[in-house]
Amino acid sequence: MMPGDVRTVRGFKDLWASMTGGAPPARAVPLRPLLDTLGLGLEQVMTQLAGRPTFDAFADWAQATASNGDDAAIARYTAWYDGADPPRAERARQAAVMAQDPVFSADDLAAWDRDGVVVLRQAITADEAAAIADHLWAVQDAVPDDPATWYRRRENGIMIQRFQHPAMDVPRRAPRIHRAFAELYGHADLIASTDRMSFNPPVSATYHFPGPHPHWDANLAPPMAFETQGILYLTDTAADQGALRVVPGFHHRLAAGWLDTLEGRDPRGIDLSDQAVPIAAGAGDLVIWRQELPHGASPNTAAVPRLAQYLTLYPMRWPDERPWL
């Protein structure tokens, strides 16, 4: 539960009104920064608003559910929303991140420039990753050594719509992770996403991999803003264990005019699976990729599930209201 009253947070009532048929807001709702400031997941918020709750009912739900929303986070978001300088405490926090030792080597950064994907080793400790994994097993009502429990019916494929838990907040607040993204962006003025988890069990005679197959989560209309996505492995994850796969270097192809070669075809309808490469990594490792890369999970042909938490850091931005491509 967040302190204070969520009703007073900039844009919160506008979000409710815009999704429930109320008066249109006077300005765009900065959905991602707002929800990530409060510690609310996008999917759970959309589910709540789909029922067209009253404003007080929605606010009461958000107040009870939000896992962030501390005074410092709200003050930082409010200053950004109002176009003011960050508060002094936020400037000090960012300066401390930039003063840390680098977490990526020259080879890491060269691979990042070339491929658009990099692995932050030991982003969190193995014990911290195991605590998140334990939470995921519990919410799945599954047992690691009982495959019969791995295939309970789920409505969202491999995506697990859970967003709030103390163990999940550890990587969101980890200085090492903040430093990693600061190195990629060139600054520390970043906010952590409140994202979900995933549980990708092995394929079998009765269970077929549901996806997601290689895709983009961003508007492909050029110019695309530089932004990242990330997935935190909660256990050691081999390449054949349903690992994330990406098409390396695709940001260079987009910059070179790949869209222009399609002659009007829908880029999202082109299957790039045969060009995607799975990324193996260890428990507590964070795979980070540029949003221009087609990406998705892969079929798990190993003997155990892949467990992961999605996480990225990004600069707070107002919505891209250009037509979606």
Side-chain angles (χ1 to χ4, degrees), residues 14-296:
D14 288 338
L15 168 62
W16 167 81
S18 67
M19 298 297 294
T20 57
R27 64 193 300 190
V29 177
L31 186 61
R32 288 179 64 197
L34 170 60
L35 298 188
D36 290 331
T37 293
L38 298 178
L40 293 171
L42 174 63
E43 292 82 1
Q44 65 182 165
V45 167
M46 294 301 103
T47 297
Q48 287 293 318
L49 290 172
R52 293 181 176 269
T54 66
F55 176 65
D56 282 339
F58 178 56
D60 288 345
W61 170 83
Q63 190 83 35
T65 304
S67 67
N68 200 352
D70 59 80
D71 291 341
I74 296 295
R76 181 219 183 163
Y77 167 81
T78 301
W80 170 80
Y81 188 99
D82 292 346
D85 291 335
R88 179 180 300 176
E90 175 60 23
R91 296 197 302 270
R93 186 180 76 95
Q94 293 178 23
V97 170
M98 297 307 292
Q100 294 177 41
D101 291 336
V103 297
F104 290 127
S105 68
D107 287 345
D108 289 332
L109 295 176
W112 170 257
D113 289 341
R114 181 187 67 242
D115 298 330
V117 60
V118 68
V119 179
L120 175 64
R121 305 293 178 182
Q122 299 179 330
I124 60 174
T125 69
D127 286 346
E128 290 167 339
I132 307 171
D134 288 345
H135 171 58
L136 179 49
W137 283 112
V139 300
Q140 282 296 98
D141 191 22
V143 180
D145 59 1
D146 184 2
T149 66
W150 300 349
Y151 300 96
R152 304 188 193 280
R153 187 174 183 276
R154 298 192 299 272
E155 295 182 355
N156 296 284
I158 70 170
M159 304 301 180
I160 308 303
Q161 310 290 65
R162 297 298 181 98
F163 302 87
Q164 292 85 23
H165 190 271
M168 296 177 69
D169 285 337
V170 169
R172 294 167 181 160
R173 297 172 179 169
R176 179 172 169 79
I177 291 177
H178 195 164
R179 172 66 196 193
F181 284 98
E183 288 179 36
L184 300 180
Y185 280 96
H187 62 84
D189 190 7
L190 306 169
I191 183 172
S193 62
T194 303
D195 216 331
R196 54 195 173 180
M197 299 183 289
S198 77
F199 185 89
N200 187 1
V203 296
S204 69
T206 57
Y207 175 79
H208 304 285
F209 174 62
H213 300 284
H215 65 285
W216 294 274
D217 299 306
N219 188 353
L220 297 179
M224 292 181 68
F226 170 66
E227 202 159 298
T228 58
Q229 296 178 256
I231 185 169
L232 178 70
Y233 290 158
L234 305 181
T235 61
D236 291 344
T237 302
D240 65 348
Q241 195 184 333
L244 170 83
R245 52 181 171 169
V246 303
V247 180
F250 207 85
H251 56 304
H252 297 303
R253 293 166 63 179
L254 281 172
W258 179 79
L259 291 170
D260 296 333
T261 70
L262 302 184
E263 299 180 343
R265 289 179 295 164
D266 179 2
R268 299 179 191 276
I270 296 175
D271 186 3
L272 297 168
S273 298
D274 62 342
Q275 301 175 41
V277 176
I279 309 296
D285 290 349
L286 178 67
V287 185
I288 306 171
W289 68 96
R290 295 178 63 121
Q291 69 171 352
E292 300 103 315
L293 301 193
H295 64 277

